[in-house]
Amino acid sequence: MYMYLPIALTSVNYLLVIALGLTVGLLSGLFGVGGGFLMTPLLMMIGIPPTIAAGTDANQIVAASSSGMFTHWRLGNVDYKMGIYLLIGGFLGGAVGVQVIKFLSATGGADFLIKMTYVVMLGLVGSFMFVESLVAILRKKTESHHHSAAASGAKKGGLMATLPMQIHFDKSGVTFSALVPFALGIFVGVLAAIMGVGGGFLMVPVMIYMLRMPMHVVVGTSLFQILFTCIEVTYLQAYYNHTVDFPLAILLLIGSVFGAQIGAILGRKLHGDQLKILLSIIVLGVTVKMVLELVTQPAILLSHVGGH
Amino acid sequence: MRRNFSLSGVLLAAVVLAALILPGRSWAEVTCQANPALVRITLGYHGLPVEIKGNSAPGDDVIVKVSSLPEDLHLKYKGKAGGIFWMKLGTLIFKHAPSVYLLSSSSPINTTLSPEIRGQNIIGLDALQRRIEVSAEHGPLPPGDWFSQFLAFKERDKVYASTEGNVTIDPKGGYSLRLDWPYKAAPGKYKIEVYTAHHGMLTGSATSEMQVEMTGVVKQISDMSFNKRGTYGLIAIVVALVVGFAVGNIFKGGGAH
């Protein structure tokens, strides 16, 4: 029942870890998010040091996102052109975010920035998705909501049409400047680096609401971007910080790859708005938990050095 | 006269003998041995029971201390920022603190030994508190009972404990202790110190060592992560990709939305 983790220097119940991987993998397949914003705190709860939790999580997301992306690729749901622009921006933003954290760590303000970024971003994204999805579901009962969505999309397109480097993204069926996904990639990359996660839960809403991409292409493209981001993070964490616990990653990925597939199958049975409202509830739940942690005095005021 | 001489001679001999033998008897007799003395960390390791036993004089109380070498431990501390949010505010340094400190005794140590003797030999958490110095990495030490917090932090990982009554004494002499060795205790050398006491005085002591080390696959993975970092990172990525694509292929019928 137990497995010793040579990098984390602790022992865990492997069935519990596989179950964690399954749950987070399910979210990955269902919503196209990496699940880092959930997995890292869950691993810390079972006694994994924060830095190891974050580093190893990136490794297991490589498996979960490659599994999910493979399925979406076969179904033609990956917009590679869009994914590459987002990825380039994400890599650049990630590098900037790492430097920001390095600077703030030296001045002692990193923890405050990380916590506040989490609460504000999760709160905003979760609330916006929840309200938008709820309105869409309610509206659908009386009239077709496609009309309003199309009108909103057209408005966005009008503003973006003034920018240079206009490109048509065939798979997503949208046309706008290449600078838009590039800039959004940088924005998400900076936040992802500050928050220590892959950024899927930020990228998905950005693709849905700002880029107006269809939901099925959003999930596949998000997984494509997450896969490459986490490959980079895994290597860097293993090489520079020794924070990738391979046996722990194996346990997590056993659960997550199956969870991702189950999530993808379940996703077929749910409408886009239902998926969005589910994801928004999870994101808001995590936000509430973080706010409670911030305002409630912890039982033990000491913790290991490293991590958030 | 001769009878008086003989009686006083016997008394003198008895006192001299007691003076020579009694203190020396216990010091000489006390032994300690851990079984296993080498704890091997394998893939299925979750801590294990370690038996510590040895000789002691009949009627003596026994105290067993297992600890690692003192070091400077750095830990983050949380406090209120802006009077509202609890978050990490800085780093505290706990100087001369062992990473593992497990104390076991046959009787309450407060009644077994005087505070001076406990302090000299760092027996008990009170004595440990006097030895450990707490300071902030930057600036003055923030207000708070940091040793109690440190203790709670260590006790949560089960690497600090002070348990009374878990050392079993044999009325004919000897003692034994069954220690649940914590899996969070890092690989390394640990010192076992055994003290025997009678009527508040130390009557003997013995020391021994136990070693905790990784072995087999656990050691190979650990070594590779430090000595072949690039290869380790690449293997982690390739395995994750292979498993991900393989499972994706198995679920060919599975689709997305």
Side-chain angles (χ1 to χ4, degrees):
Chain A
M1 291 283 278
Y2 290 99
M3 182 183 266
Y4 188 79
L5 307 174
I7 312 300
L9 298 179
T10 189
S11 175
V12 290
N13 182 321
Y14 57 79
L15 293 178
L16 178 69
V17 177
I18 290 171
L20 286 183
L22 193 78
T23 308
V24 177
L26 197 121
L27 296 179
S28 177
L30 204 52
F31 305 117
V33 297
F37 71 101
L38 274 179
M39 182 62 92
T40 305
L42 286 174
L43 287 175
M44 283 158 64
M45 275 169 65
I46 62 165
I48 308 297
T51 48
I52 310 278
T56 307
D57 192 26
N59 192 195
Q60 79 85 20
I61 293 172
V62 170
S65 56
S66 62
S67 174
M69 200 206 79
F70 184 63
T71 306
H72 286 278
W73 165 74
R74 230 179 17 241
L75 292 164
N77 291 344
V78 182
D79 188 334
Y80 292 105
K81 197 194 280 183
M82 181 75 79
I84 286 168
Y85 280 111
L86 290 168
L87 195 60
I88 295 168
F91 272 22
L92 201 66
V96 172
V98 166
Q99 294 308 315
V100 170
I101 285 294
K102 198 182 264 184
F103 172 74
L104 287 170
S105 294
T107 56
D111 196 47
F112 184 79
L113 178 76
I114 290 164
K115 287 273 166 61
M116 285 298 124
T117 308
Y118 253 104
V119 169
V120 171
M121 290 312 299
L122 287 173
L124 281 176
V125 168
S127 303
F128 182 72
M129 282 181 77
F130 183 80
V131 171
E132 208 267 357
S133 309
L134 196 65
V135 168
I137 289 169
L138 292 173
R139 191 177 293 165
K140 196 180 290 172
K141 289 181 180 174
T142 53
E143 57 176 324
S144 169
H145 83 295
H146 295 297
H147 175 72
S148 62
S152 172
K155 196 177 173 184
K156 293 265 178 194
L159 286 170
M160 291 174 183
T162 57
L163 294 168
M165 297 172 69
Q166 292 290 321
I167 293 176
H168 181 68
F169 295 88
D170 296 329
K171 191 70 77 178
S172 301
V174 291
T175 303
F176 43 69
S177 169
L179 295 173
V180 174
F182 180 68
L184 289 172
I186 292 177
F187 172 69
V188 173
V190 169
L191 290 176
I194 289 172
M195 298 163 77
V197 292
F201 77 100
L202 289 171
M203 191 61 89
V204 167
V206 160
M207 285 194 271
I208 295 170
Y209 299 110
M210 299 190 77
L211 302 181
R212 293 286 158 185
M213 290 166 63
M215 187 65 188
H216 65 281
V217 181
V218 164
V219 176
T221 311
S222 170
L223 288 172
F224 170 81
Q225 184 259 343
I226 288 167
L227 172 63
F228 285 95
T229 304
C230 287
I231 284 175
E232 182 204 17
V233 171
T234 300
Y235 188 79
L236 294 177
Q237 291 278 29
Y239 194 86
Y240 291 108
N241 299 330
H242 310 287
T243 51
V244 175
D245 196 303
F246 189 48
L248 176 63
I250 293 278
L251 291 177
L252 289 172
L253 67 85
I254 287 170
S256 67
V257 289
F258 284 99
Q261 294 300 326
I262 296 165
I265 293 165
L266 274 177
R268 293 170 66 193
K269 302 179 194 303
L270 295 170
H271 189 268
D273 289 325
Q274 291 171 320
L275 282 174
K276 279 185 247 171
I277 209 160
L278 269 176
L279 180 58
S280 68
I281 290 168
I282 293 166
V283 169
L284 285 174
V286 174
T287 312
V288 170
K289 182 184 168 285
M290 291 202 71
V291 170
L292 287 175
E293 278 177 1
L294 278 170
V295 297
T296 313
Q297 181 172 354
I300 298 174
L301 298 175
L302 296 173
S303 63
H304 291 288
V305 173
H308 304 331
Chain B
M1 181 73 183
R2 188 183 171 192
R3 196 172 174 176
N4 283 346
F5 172 76
S6 136
L7 191 62
S8 60
V10 168
L11 278 171
L12 183 65
V15 169
V16 170
L17 201 65
L20 285 172
I21 291 175
L22 276 174
R25 175 209 60 166
S26 293
W27 285 101
E29 275 184 356
V30 181
T31 61
C32 74
Q33 191 177 9
N35 183 28
L38 175 62
V39 174
R40 293 177 196 276
I41 298 178
T42 58
L43 209 54
Y45 177 74
H46 190 64
L48 47 76
V50 172
E51 189 183 36
I52 297 169
K53 61 181 181 180
N55 298 328
S56 62
D60 277 4
D61 288 312
V62 176
I63 298 156
V64 180
K65 181 172 87 177
V66 184
S67 60
S68 58
L69 282 175
E71 55 187 305
D72 293 350
L73 299 177
H74 294 241
L75 295 172
K76 289 276 184 191
Y77 73 92
K78 284 182 181 175
K80 264 195 170 179
I84 308 169
F85 302 119
W86 287 93
M87 52 184 60
K88 290 172 189 168
L89 298 179
T91 304
L92 295 182
I93 305 165
F94 294 82
K95 286 182 181 170
H96 318 301
S99 60
V100 171
Y101 183 90
L102 302 168
L103 190 81
S104 309
S105 60
S106 55
S107 305
I109 54 167
N110 291 350
T111 57
T112 309
L113 289 170
S114 67
E116 291 75 27
I117 295 174
R118 280 187 272 131
Q120 282 165 9
N121 298 286
I122 317 172
I123 297 171
L125 298 173
D126 292 346
L128 191 65
Q129 182 173 10
R130 286 194 289 275
R131 186 60 62 101
I132 294 175
E133 293 169 22
V134 189
S135 60
E137 195 175 55
H138 302 292
L141 183 69
D145 185 359
W146 293 114
F147 183 77
S148 297
Q149 285 292 325
F150 178 71
L151 212 56
F153 178 76
K154 287 289 189 181
E155 283 174 342
R156 187 184 59 189
D157 285 350
K158 297 180 178 172
V159 289
Y160 269 41
S162 177
T163 316
E164 292 169 346
N166 59 338
V167 176
T168 308
I169 300 289
D170 186 339
K172 294 175 185 171
Y175 67 93
S176 66
L177 164 69
R178 185 187 181 277
L179 198 64
D180 288 323
W181 186 251
Y183 60 82
K184 289 224 172 180
K189 271 187 184 173
Y190 294 90
K191 190 177 181 185
I192 304 169
E193 295 164 73
V194 176
Y195 299 92
T196 57
H198 200 77
H199 295 308
M201 296 296 292
L202 267 185
T203 54
S205 72
T207 61
S208 177
E209 270 188 356
M210 63 179 281
Q211 177 93 17
V212 178
E213 64 178 34
M214 294 184 188
T215 186
V217 180
V218 174
K219 183 172 165 47
Q220 284 171 3
I221 292 172
S222 177
D223 289 348
M224 184 186 251
S225 78
F226 282 96
N227 303 329
K228 293 176 181 172
R229 295 175 292 173
T231 312
Y232 180 81
L234 286 175
I235 288 174
I237 291 164
V238 169
V239 170
L241 284 172
V242 168
V243 173
F245 284 121
V247 175
N249 204 35
I250 292 167
F251 279 78
K252 264 182 182 169
H257 2 286

